[in-house]
Amino acid sequence: WLRVSFQVAMAAGPGEVRKVQICNVVHDGVTGRFCANAESLGWQADDGSEAVVHSTTSVRKAEWLDGQLRVLCEPEDSANQAEVLALEGFAPGDYETIWRYFEQACSVYVKKHRVTATLSETDFDNAMRAFEEAADRVDEAPSGGVQKKGREFDLLKKVETFRDGLDQAVSGDKQALSRVFAANSCERICRLRLVLDTVQLETYRRDPRWLHLRNMCATVEAVLKELGTFKQWQPPDDVEHSSMLRRVMVRELQVRQGAADEDFDAAVSLPSPPIATQDPVAVSNDPLSSLRSVVAKAVPAPVPVASMQAPPPLPPPAETPVPTPVGTAGDAAIGDCEDGDNTAEGDADDEDEEVTNPNSALASALDKAPATRTHPGSILEGWVWKRSRFLRRWRRRWLVLLPRGLYSYKKRGDLVATETVMAGSVTRVYNADSEVLQTRSFAVALRRRTHFMVSDDENQKQAWMREITRALGSGGTG
């Protein structure tokens, strides 16, 4: 009976969604297959002894983690309680199929959790100790000699090993990063900063590996400051910390001589690894536990935001100041700091408006100003949600496309752009819905960085993609 009913439920429906069937999927320890079409989805054991079927209209939420799928189903019949369909054993390549199916058939976006990277304090401390010893040997070597160059080369070898652990830290959960680096008044990251700022490099001072390590150190410091856990560690006055005490004196001397930050600004031109924004679901031991809590609390289904019509073309004003870009041409024109953190723009006390889900609110919702252009000769202007570079937060931005570049501003009418993309630097403009798991999203790709934005409606999205490609692109749309 189970096999017959399952086959009937999974029969091809009249909708445009094609049937999905994925084998070797496990449910409650039993191997079977996941099947779905426009009307139903479910699982059936290979021998047909067990089956679970739900209608697509009952699906309220879906989450994915490393081949595991959890689907919250709430039957329309109030007599039946909500259930979580728990499946595992999917291949990594199955996610795209699953994501598109749920989007089309259930109007639900599958939230993809990242596996949280962990960092061993012991491993980091051992690598840090070897790094400090190699730096001390560099400082002891005579300037300009072969010995100095050889020891710098050895230090860079330590960097290659050392940065792997730091890469792991900055790619994981911010709270886990804080637990490692905020301990003992932030001793670990402050020791690293002391070495980076004071070691006397000559040959490899601008080596990409060295600049990459400086970028990661700055990223960790920024996260600790954001969380309110950053403290300035000072080495104790004892023999064990004599090397660190010497470096403190060197840095104080650099500050007095005005050379503390000499040549270090070059580091920001290299891309830094992003910090994964970890919501409360992913911080727990079971990143998929949110579905269980939803069942317990009987949270109703979210109400979709109605799409808005694209605004009509706006006449340009008589006089408007020329935009002031941040950075230089090409990839470096993307501003040297995280989008929205530039203190030169706007008022000092003006905070960014951020959202976790840009599909839940319109970027233009709070703008009551008359519909006028802010820059003469602009091709396109409007509000978007733009994802920040390091923390990957969605921030409200006024976007202006001119023949010479694409500019983003914190407020309409600002004179200083938070970020700038110059003409000729764009390699590709493409639909980013599946990449950022948001509708109405598009990406502007450069050689070493990609900008992600979400429009208020599909018409605006298509207009931005088309006009940016025409004005700035060296590649095409996708």
Side-chain angles (χ1 to χ4, degrees):
W1 177 84
L2 283 172
R3 178 179 297 180
V4 173
S5 63
F6 187 85
Q7 290 175 345
V8 171
M10 290 295 104
E16 71 280 359
V17 181
R18 291 181 297 177
K19 182 177 179 180
V20 175
Q21 186 171 119
I22 301 175
C23 300
N24 299 319
V25 176
V26 179
H27 173 64
D28 285 343
V30 180
T31 301
R33 65 183 185 274
F34 171 79
C35 296
N37 64 16
E39 297 177 345
S40 306
L41 61 91
W43 171 91
Q44 183 182 36
D46 287 338
D47 59 5
S49 60
E50 301 179 47
V52 180
V53 182
H54 293 282
S55 68
T56 54
T57 58
S58 70
V59 176
R60 296 292 177 263
K61 194 173 183 180
E63 299 183 10
W64 171 283
L65 170 67
D66 197 25
Q68 303 176 55
L69 178 67
R70 301 291 185 269
V71 183
L72 173 63
C73 298
E74 293 181 348
E76 296 179 358
D77 183 1
S78 58
N80 296 325
Q81 294 184 348
E83 296 182 17
V84 173
L85 176 62
L87 304 173
E88 55 188 59
F90 291 97
D94 294 332
Y95 174 74
E96 183 71 17
T97 301
I98 294 291
W99 183 85
R100 292 195 178 280
Y101 167 76
F102 277 90
E103 178 195 22
Q104 296 175 11
C106 309
S107 298
V108 168
Y109 284 90
V110 180
K111 183 174 183 180
K112 186 177 184 180
H113 293 280
R114 297 178 60 181
V115 178
T116 304
T118 58
L119 176 67
S120 166
E121 290 99 331
T122 301
D123 292 343
F124 182 89
D125 291 341
N126 291 337
M128 186 68 205
R129 192 175 301 111
F131 180 71
E132 291 176 7
E133 292 173 355
D136 289 342
R137 288 193 293 271
V138 168
D139 291 341
E140 294 167 357
S143 177
V146 176
Q147 186 184 45
K148 178 83 167 181
K149 184 176 181 179
R151 291 187 178 183
E152 287 187 18
F153 181 80
D154 292 339
L155 176 63
L156 265 293
K157 286 295 184 183
K158 294 291 191 297
V159 167
E160 292 177 1
T161 303
F162 182 65
R163 68 176 181 177
D164 290 341
L166 205 57
D167 259 328
Q168 189 179 45
V170 300
S171 64
D173 171 27
K174 290 191 294 184
Q175 296 294 338
L177 180 148
S178 180
R179 285 192 293 271
V180 173
F181 289 102
N184 194 23
S185 299
C186 300
E187 178 180 355
R188 291 185 175 93
I189 197 63
C190 287
R191 291 177 76 105
L192 176 59
R193 170 57 66 191
L194 265 176
V195 175
L196 291 173
D197 286 355
T198 59
V199 65
Q200 302 301 306
L201 289 181
E202 294 176 354
T203 304
Y204 295 99
R205 185 176 181 82
R206 293 182 177 274
D207 187 276
R209 293 166 293 180
W210 185 256
L211 298 180
H212 186 197
L213 182 58
R214 291 189 61 84
N215 271 339
M216 288 189 292
C217 179
T219 301
V220 173
E221 291 171 329
V223 172
L224 295 178
K225 290 175 182 177
E226 180 200 2
L227 296 176
T229 57
F230 181 80
K231 297 179 181 179
Q232 189 60 55
W233 173 78
Q234 294 294 336
D237 190 3
D238 54 33
V239 176
E240 181 182 353
H241 294 85
S242 58
S243 175
M244 288 291 106
L245 290 169
R246 177 183 64 82
R247 294 192 180 279
V248 169
M249 291 187 289
V250 170
R251 185 165 65 180
E252 291 176 352
L253 181 61
Q254 290 175 335
V255 172
R256 293 195 191 109
Q257 296 176 346
D261 296 323
E262 184 183 16
D263 293 334
F264 292 160
D265 288 342
V268 297
S269 64
L270 290 179
S272 295
I275 292 289
T277 51
Q278 200 80 5
D279 54 32
V281 174
V283 171
S284 65
N285 291 330
D286 182 5
L288 299 175
S289 61
S290 64
L291 286 177
R292 300 181 182 88
S293 64
V294 170
V295 174
K297 297 178 182 179
V299 176
V303 179
V305 178
S307 61
M308 304 292 291
Q309 295 296 322
L314 305 175
E319 293 183 6
T320 305
V322 176
T324 303
V326 174
T328 56
D331 286 349
I334 311 306
D336 290 343
C337 60
E338 170 122 10
D339 180 27
D341 293 339
N342 184 6
T343 56
E345 59 163 304
D347 300 327
D349 59 351
D350 186 25
E351 295 185 358
D352 266 330
E353 181 186 353
E354 299 178 350
V355 295
T356 304
N357 178 13
N359 284 160
S360 66
L362 298 177
S364 61
L366 299 181
D367 189 357
K368 306 302 181 183
T372 58
R373 292 184 184 268
T374 61
H375 295 82
S378 65
I379 301 171
L380 201 59
E381 297 187 25
W383 288 107
V384 298
W385 293 108
K386 185 175 183 300
R387 195 171 77 173
S388 62
R389 181 175 186 179
F390 297 137
L391 302 182
R392 296 193 172 188
R393 292 180 173 175
W394 293 98
R395 291 171 175 165
R396 190 169 176 261
R397 289 290 180 262
W398 180 256
L399 208 59
V400 177
L401 176 62
L402 294 167
R404 62 180 173 273
L406 180 67
Y407 303 83
S408 66
Y409 300 89
K410 184 182 292 187
K411 296 185 297 183
R412 183 207 290 252
D414 277 354
L415 300 181
V416 180
T418 61
E419 293 190 299
T420 305
V421 177
M422 303 307 294
S425 64
V426 177
T427 61
R428 184 187 176 204
V429 181
Y430 62 92
N431 182 348
D433 287 4
S434 61
E435 190 166 350
V436 298
L437 305 185
Q438 301 289 339
T439 58
R440 312 188 303 274
S441 62
F442 64 95
V444 179
L446 312 182
R447 291 187 301 275
R448 294 182 298 180
R449 186 186 169 190
T450 301
H451 295 268
F452 295 99
M453 283 158 277
V454 173
S455 303
D456 279 358
D457 61 47
E458 188 66 26
N459 291 336
Q460 293 181 15
K461 166 185 168 179
Q462 296 300 328
W464 281 114
M465 292 176 61
R466 180 178 62 254
E467 298 302 333
I468 292 173
T469 301
R470 288 176 180 174
L472 312 180
S474 57
T477 58

Coordinates of all heavy atoms in Angstrom, one line a residue, residues 262-300:
E262 N 54.3 53.1 7.8 CA 55.0 53.2 6.5 C 54.9 52.0 5.6 O 55.2 50.9 6.1 CB 56.4 53.6 6.7 CG 57.2 53.9 5.4 CD 58.7 54.1 5.7 OE1 59.1 53.8 6.8 OE2 59.3 54.7 4.8
D263 N 54.4 52.2 4.4 CA 54.3 51.1 3.4 C 53.2 50.1 3.7 O 53.0 49.2 3.0 CB 55.6 50.4 3.2 CG 56.6 51.3 2.5 OD1 56.2 52.3 1.8 OD2 57.8 51.1 2.7
F264 N 52.5 50.2 4.9 CA 51.6 49.2 5.3 C 50.3 49.3 4.6 O 49.5 48.4 4.5 CB 51.4 49.2 6.8 CG 52.6 48.7 7.6 CD1 52.8 49.0 8.9 CD2 53.6 48.0 6.9 CE1 53.9 48.7 9.6 CE2 54.8 47.6 7.6 CZ 54.9 48.0 9.0
D265 N 49.9 50.5 4.0 CA 48.7 50.7 3.4 C 48.5 49.8 2.1 O 47.5 49.5 1.7 CB 48.5 52.1 3.0 CG 48.2 53.0 4.2 OD1 47.8 52.4 5.2 OD2 48.4 54.2 4.1
A266 N 49.7 49.3 1.6 CA 49.7 48.5 0.4 C 49.0 47.2 0.7 O 48.4 46.5 -0.2 CB 51.1 48.2 -0.1
A267 N 48.9 46.8 2.0 CA 48.3 45.5 2.3 C 46.8 45.5 1.9 O 46.3 44.4 1.6 CB 48.5 45.2 3.8
V268 N 46.1 46.6 2.0 CA 44.7 46.5 1.8 C 44.3 46.3 0.4 O 43.2 46.1 0.0 CB 44.0 47.8 2.3 CG1 44.2 48.0 3.8 CG2 44.6 49.1 1.6
S269 N 45.3 46.4 -0.6 CA 44.9 46.2 -2.0 C 44.8 44.8 -2.3 O 44.3 44.4 -3.4 CB 46.0 46.8 -2.9 OG 47.3 46.1 -2.7
L270 N 45.1 43.9 -1.4 CA 44.9 42.4 -1.6 C 43.6 42.0 -1.0 O 43.2 42.5 0.0 CB 46.0 41.6 -0.9 CG 47.4 41.8 -1.5 CD1 48.4 40.9 -0.7 CD2 47.4 41.3 -3.0
P271 N 42.9 41.1 -1.6 CA 41.6 40.6 -1.1 C 41.8 39.9 0.2 O 42.7 39.0 0.3 CB 41.1 39.7 -2.2 CG 42.3 39.2 -2.9 CD 43.3 40.4 -2.9
S272 N 40.9 40.2 1.2 CA 41.0 39.5 2.5 C 39.9 38.4 2.5 O 38.8 38.6 1.9 CB 40.8 40.4 3.6 OG 41.8 41.3 3.7
P273 N 40.1 37.3 3.1 CA 39.1 36.3 3.2 C 37.9 36.8 4.0 O 38.1 37.5 5.0 CB 39.8 35.1 3.9 CG 41.0 35.7 4.6 CD 41.3 36.9 3.8
P274 N 36.6 36.4 3.6 CA 35.5 36.9 4.3 C 35.2 36.2 5.6 O 35.5 35.0 5.7 CB 34.3 36.7 3.3 CG 34.8 35.5 2.5 CD 36.3 35.6 2.5
I275 N 34.6 36.9 6.5 CA 34.2 36.3 7.7 C 32.8 35.8 7.5 O 31.9 36.5 7.0 CB 34.1 37.3 8.9 CG1 35.6 37.8 9.3 CG2 33.4 36.8 10.1 CD1 36.3 36.7 9.9
A276 N 32.5 34.6 7.9 CA 31.2 34.0 7.7 C 30.2 34.6 8.7 O 30.5 34.4 9.9 CB 31.2 32.5 7.8
T277 N 29.2 35.2 8.3 CA 28.2 35.7 9.3 C 27.4 34.6 9.8 O 26.7 33.9 9.0 CB 27.3 36.8 8.6 OG1 26.7 36.2 7.4 CG2 28.1 38.0 8.3
Q278 N 27.5 34.3 11.1 CA 26.9 33.1 11.6 C 25.7 33.5 12.4 O 25.8 34.2 13.4 CB 28.0 32.4 12.5 CG 27.7 31.0 12.8 CD 28.1 30.1 11.7 OE1 28.7 30.6 10.7 NE2 27.8 28.9 11.8
D279 N 24.5 33.1 12.0 CA 23.4 33.4 12.8 C 23.2 32.5 14.0 O 24.0 31.5 14.1 CB 22.1 33.4 11.9 CG 22.0 32.0 11.2 OD1 22.4 31.0 11.8 OD2 21.5 32.0 10.1
P280 N 22.3 32.7 14.9 CA 22.2 31.9 16.1 C 22.0 30.4 15.8 O 22.3 29.6 16.5 CB 21.0 32.5 16.8 CG 20.9 33.9 16.4 CD 21.4 33.9 14.9
V281 N 21.4 30.1 14.6 CA 21.2 28.7 14.2 C 22.5 28.0 14.1 O 22.8 26.9 14.6 CB 20.4 28.6 12.9 CG1 20.3 27.1 12.5 CG2 19.0 29.2 13.1
A282 N 23.5 28.6 13.3 CA 24.7 28.0 13.0 C 25.7 28.0 14.2 O 26.6 27.2 14.1 CB 25.4 28.7 11.8
V283 N 25.5 28.8 15.2 CA 26.4 28.8 16.3 C 26.2 27.5 17.2 O 27.1 27.1 17.8 CB 26.1 30.0 17.2 CG1 26.9 30.0 18.5 CG2 26.5 31.3 16.4
S284 N 25.0 27.0 17.2 CA 24.7 25.8 18.0 C 25.5 24.6 17.4 O 25.9 24.6 16.3 CB 23.2 25.5 18.0 OG 22.8 25.2 16.7
N285 N 25.5 23.5 18.2 CA 26.2 22.3 17.7 C 25.4 21.7 16.5 O 26.0 21.0 15.7 CB 26.2 21.3 18.9 CG 27.2 21.7 20.0 OD1 28.1 22.4 19.7 ND2 26.9 21.4 21.2
D286 N 24.1 21.9 16.5 CA 23.4 21.4 15.4 C 22.8 22.5 14.5 O 21.8 23.2 14.9 CB 22.2 20.5 15.9 CG 21.4 19.9 14.7 OD1 21.8 20.1 13.6 OD2 20.3 19.3 15.0
P287 N 23.5 22.9 13.4 CA 23.1 24.1 12.7 C 21.7 23.9 12.1 O 21.1 24.9 11.6 CB 24.1 24.1 11.5 CG 25.3 23.4 12.1 CD 24.7 22.3 12.9
L288 N 21.1 22.8 12.1 CA 19.8 22.6 11.5 C 18.7 22.5 12.6 O 17.6 22.2 12.3 CB 19.7 21.3 10.7 CG 20.7 21.2 9.5 CD1 20.6 19.9 8.8 CD2 20.4 22.3 8.5
S289 N 19.1 22.9 13.8 CA 18.2 22.8 14.9 C 17.1 23.8 14.9 O 16.1 23.7 15.6 CB 19.0 22.9 16.3 OG 19.6 24.2 16.3
S290 N 17.2 24.8 14.1 CA 16.2 25.9 14.0 C 14.9 25.3 13.6 O 13.8 25.8 14.0 CB 16.6 27.0 13.1 OG 16.7 26.5 11.8
L291 N 14.9 24.3 12.7 CA 13.6 23.7 12.3 C 12.9 23.0 13.4 O 11.7 23.1 13.5 CB 13.9 22.7 11.2 CG 14.3 23.3 9.8 CD1 14.6 22.1 8.8 CD2 13.2 24.1 9.3
R292 N 13.7 22.4 14.3 CA 13.1 21.8 15.5 C 12.4 22.8 16.4 O 11.3 22.7 16.9 CB 14.1 21.0 16.2 CG 14.7 19.9 15.4 CD 15.7 19.0 16.1 NE 16.3 18.0 15.3 CZ 17.4 18.2 14.5 NH1 18.0 19.4 14.6 NH2 17.9 17.3 13.8
S293 N 13.1 24.0 16.6 CA 12.6 25.0 17.4 C 11.3 25.6 16.7 O 10.4 26.0 17.4 CB 13.6 26.1 17.7 OG 14.0 26.7 16.5
V294 N 11.3 25.7 15.4 CA 10.1 26.2 14.7 C 8.9 25.3 15.0 O 7.8 25.8 15.2 CB 10.4 26.4 13.2 CG1 9.2 26.7 12.5 CG2 11.4 27.4 13.0
V295 N 9.2 24.0 14.9 CA 8.1 23.1 15.2 C 7.6 23.2 16.6 O 6.3 23.3 16.8 CB 8.6 21.6 15.0 CG1 7.5 20.6 15.4 CG2 8.9 21.4 13.5
A296 N 8.5 23.4 17.5 CA 8.0 23.5 18.9 C 7.2 24.8 19.2 O 6.3 24.8 19.9 CB 9.3 23.5 19.8
K297 N 7.6 25.9 18.5 CA 6.9 27.2 18.7 C 5.8 27.4 17.7 O 5.0 28.4 17.8 CB 7.9 28.3 18.5 CG 9.0 28.3 19.6 CD 10.0 29.4 19.4 CE 11.2 29.3 20.4 NZ 12.2 30.4 20.2
A298 N 5.6 26.5 16.7 CA 4.6 26.6 15.7 C 4.6 28.0 15.1 O 3.6 28.7 15.1 CB 3.2 26.3 16.4
V299 N 5.7 28.4 14.6 CA 5.8 29.7 13.9 C 5.1 29.6 12.6 O 5.3 28.7 11.8 CB 7.3 30.0 13.7 CG1 7.4 31.3 12.9 CG2 8.0 30.1 15.0
P300 N 4.2 30.6 12.3 CA 3.5 30.6 11.0 C 4.4 30.9 9.9 O 5.5 31.4 10.0 CB 2.5 31.7 11.2 CG 3.1 32.6 12.2 CD 3.8 31.7 13.2

